[in-house]
């Protein structure tokens, strides 16, 4: 049974990573509606930083690309780490 739990945990982790990467990419593009929809996903992590992206997050991507509405949406959600 423990092996099954580990598989489920890995599956959820992969999903968390993939949906969080999608949020990061969408924030970089400035699509505030899609960002809002992704923030509703139960496994999304707005503070996720992909190692291969130099520790960038959805918030940093949005800010660096001048997408103020996306920055606002991420901060209002409350889970994005602004530090």
């Amino acid at each position: 049974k423990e092996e099954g739990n580990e598989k489920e945990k890995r599956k959820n982790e992969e999903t968390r990573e993939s949906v969080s990467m999608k949020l990061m990419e969408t924030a970089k593009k400035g699509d505030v509606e899609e960002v809002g929809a992704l923030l509703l996903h139960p496994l999304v992590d707005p503070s996720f930083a992909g190692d291969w992206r130099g520790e960038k997050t959805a918030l940093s991507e949005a800010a660096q690309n001048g997408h103020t509405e996306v920055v606002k949406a991420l901060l209002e959600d409350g889970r994005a780490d602004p530090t």
Side-chain angles (χ1 to χ4, degrees):
K1 185 173 181 168
E2 224 172 283
E3 183 178 312
N5 289 340
E6 281 300 312
K7 284 183 181 180
E8 187 64 28
K9 186 177 178 182
R10 268 198 318 276
K11 180 181 174 187
N12 285 342
E13 190 65 24
E14 290 168 10
T15 302
R16 182 190 68 85
E17 183 175 335
S18 63
V19 74
S20 299
M21 287 299 299
K22 186 171 183 176
L23 175 67
M24 192 183 312
E25 292 164 4
T26 303
K28 183 177 181 177
K29 293 177 186 173
D31 186 343
V32 71
E33 288 184 23
E34 182 65 17
V35 165
L38 287 166
L39 287 171
L40 297 175
H41 193 288
L43 295 176
V44 73
D45 178 2
S47 291
F48 175 81
D51 292 335
W52 62 272
R53 295 191 67 126
E55 299 300 320
K56 292 184 178 181
T57 64
L59 183 60
S60 67
E61 290 282 21
Q64 289 174 357
N65 288 284
H67 303 305
T68 56
E69 290 301 312
V70 173
V71 169
K72 186 176 175 181
L74 290 165
L75 291 174
E76 285 177 353
D77 174 74
R79 294 177 287 166
D81 182 4
T83 59

